[in-house]
Amino acid sequence: MADTNVLILGGCGQVGTELATGLKTLYGNDHVIVSDLKPASEAMVDGPYETIDVMDKDAIFSVIKKHKITQVYHLAALLSATAEKNPMFGWQLNMDSLLHVLNIAKENHISKVYWPSSIAVFGPGTPKKNTPQDTVMDPNTVYGISKLAGERWCEYYHEKFGVDVRSIRYPGLISYKTEPGGGTTDYAIHIFYDALKKNSYECFLSADTELPMLYMPDAIKASIELMEAPAEKVKIRSSYNLAGFSFTPAGLAKEIEKQLPGFSITYKPDFRQAIAESWPGSIDDSRARADWQWNPDYSLEQMVKDMLLNIKKKL
Ligand code: AKB
């Protein structure tokens, strides 16, 4: 059997850095090619690295040929808060780059594609509690619109051209290894740094804004498990609902306070409050559980303890 060679686009971001580690464990260092916009000299990676602008289809294609790539994990995107500040660029980057990868797969140069969608595909008309897989989708952010359109493209390329594309609707992802990249859920990471530095945090969302979240080790596990699942088990080709737990800023602060007595939080909602309010509070991920046996390892309490332990070491 031919080797599996993986290319990660957007590989220096919050998800990419940790996904690279997981994939290297699975396939070996030389079989995972990390790429990002940064030049190699600035990228902190062990193993093969390529500088790629995902807007440039030829650049993606030539790296795919050079390294005999069989699978692409396409993570490069402008997230919710950043895309609101630059809507046209957000739309172009998120759409064009996905279509480049899907077209390369359609032309049979690669056999599998992973592309994350997001809870941002939902909108104000979506049921907020235990949001079902199939429901009203009326996103009102550029990011959400681009992710919903991307989901439709993924399903279209699967149905019309047989492209083996797989996707998860990421909730807020919490991690400590790499900075988050301009999302609305980023508060749930910043809070840990400020808690350890100042024992207080000023939150840009209001106290009772509930959002679905997932700890990064579970996000990496889910992404790789979905890609490794036999094709017939992957019954949804738009994108799977997935989550670990849900909390509000006040609820997270309470958990942190159990570990750091005296920790306090204040609230100063900004433009991200409206984005958060348009998203679900909790997610029904029963299809992922049934189809490819998704099951998260971390509870909220375990995540909080692990984040504090690791960020303390970092600081
Ligand atoms: C964001 O907040 O934009 C992302 C997401 C939920 O997709 N973390």
Side-chain angles (χ1 to χ4, degrees):
M1 210 177 76
D3 278 339
T4 298
N5 293 316
V6 183
L7 171 64
I8 307 178
L9 298 170
C12 293
Q14 192 201 356
V15 180
T17 41
E18 300 204 33
L19 190 61
T21 310
L23 289 168
K24 283 175 183 178
T25 308
L26 191 61
Y27 291 117
N29 275 19
D30 295 342
H31 295 279
V32 179
I33 289 73
V34 176
S35 79
D36 211 304
L37 208 48
K38 292 179 188 176
S41 55
E42 287 171 26
M44 309 270 286
V45 286
D46 51 343
Y49 182 83
E50 296 281 353
T51 302
I52 300 181
D53 176 355
V54 290
M55 300 290 272
D56 182 349
K57 186 182 176 205
D58 294 339
I60 302 173
F61 184 61
S62 79
V63 169
I64 285 175
K65 287 279 111 189
K66 178 176 162 193
H67 294 278
K68 299 188 172 56
I69 297 298
T70 55
Q71 302 185 4
V72 172
Y73 283 73
H74 174 22
L75 307 175
L78 232 57
L79 297 188
S80 57
T82 318
E84 284 314 289
K85 293 186 179 152
N86 201 344
M88 283 307 108
F89 179 60
W91 172 253
Q92 274 163 6
L93 177 81
N94 294 357
M95 282 293 82
D96 291 0
S97 61
L98 172 62
L99 286 167
H100 291 335
V101 175
L102 289 175
N103 281 321
I104 291 171
K106 175 190 160 196
E107 291 151 13
N108 286 321
H109 300 294
I110 48 176
S111 57
K112 258 190 226 176
V113 176
Y114 178 81
W115 170 82
S117 182
S118 159
I119 53 159
V121 294
F122 300 116
T126 305
K128 282 225 173 301
K129 287 271 165 212
N130 220 16
T131 301
Q133 175 70 39
D134 300 308
T135 185
V136 175
M137 297 170 99
D138 56 352
N140 60 5
T141 62
V142 175
Y143 176 63
I145 295 168
S146 72
K147 286 293 182 189
L148 180 53
E151 286 192 11
R152 303 320 310 149
W153 279 121
C154 288
E155 194 174 293
Y156 183 89
Y157 271 68
H158 177 71
E159 281 177 7
K160 302 271 180 214
F161 312 120
V163 170
D164 189 352
V165 54
R166 304 170 182 212
S167 176
I168 288 170
R169 291 175 180 150
Y170 285 149
L173 298 182
I174 301 167
S175 68
Y176 58 86
K177 289 193 181 144
T178 310
E179 290 287 294
T184 302
T185 57
D186 293 5
Y187 91 84
I189 297 173
H190 300 153
I191 192 171
F192 288 97
Y193 286 88
D194 279 12
L196 285 163
K197 283 187 207 155
K198 307 189 279 189
N199 216 24
S200 66
Y201 176 65
E202 184 179 273
C203 186
F204 59 74
L205 298 183
S206 67
D208 55 355
T209 314
E210 187 179 41
L211 288 167
M213 301 276 182
L214 185 63
Y215 196 32
M216 189 60 86
D218 276 330
I220 301 305
K221 180 177 95 149
S223 310
I224 295 179
E225 278 179 5
L226 174 60
M227 280 293 267
E228 293 298 309
E232 64 277 9
K233 286 196 165 197
V234 185
K235 299 194 179 106
I236 293 173
R237 295 300 183 146
S238 52
S239 191
Y240 276 95
N241 270 10
L242 197 109
F245 34 73
S246 286
F247 54 75
T248 62
L252 179 57
K254 214 165 137 197
E255 277 303 320
I256 293 175
E257 214 225 322
K258 285 186 197 161
Q259 308 301 322
L260 298 176
F263 172 70
S264 65
I265 183 165
T266 51
Y267 302 95
K268 199 175 172 199
D270 65 15
F271 73 101
R272 290 168 281 195
Q273 180 64 30
I275 301 177
E277 275 173 19
S278 76
W279 291 352
S282 56
I283 293 285
D284 173 2
D285 59 6
S286 52
R287 293 294 303 275
R289 288 172 187 264
D291 289 359
W292 42 276
Q293 288 68 56
W294 157 244
N295 196 15
D297 291 330
Y298 284 84
S299 65
L300 169 59
E301 195 187 345
Q302 288 167 320
M303 175 279 285
V304 167
K305 284 188 182 153
D306 204 53
M307 282 291 282
L308 288 171
L309 189 80
N310 283 290
I311 294 174
K312 204 169 179 177
K313 279 188 212 155
K314 245 178 111 173
L315 296 175

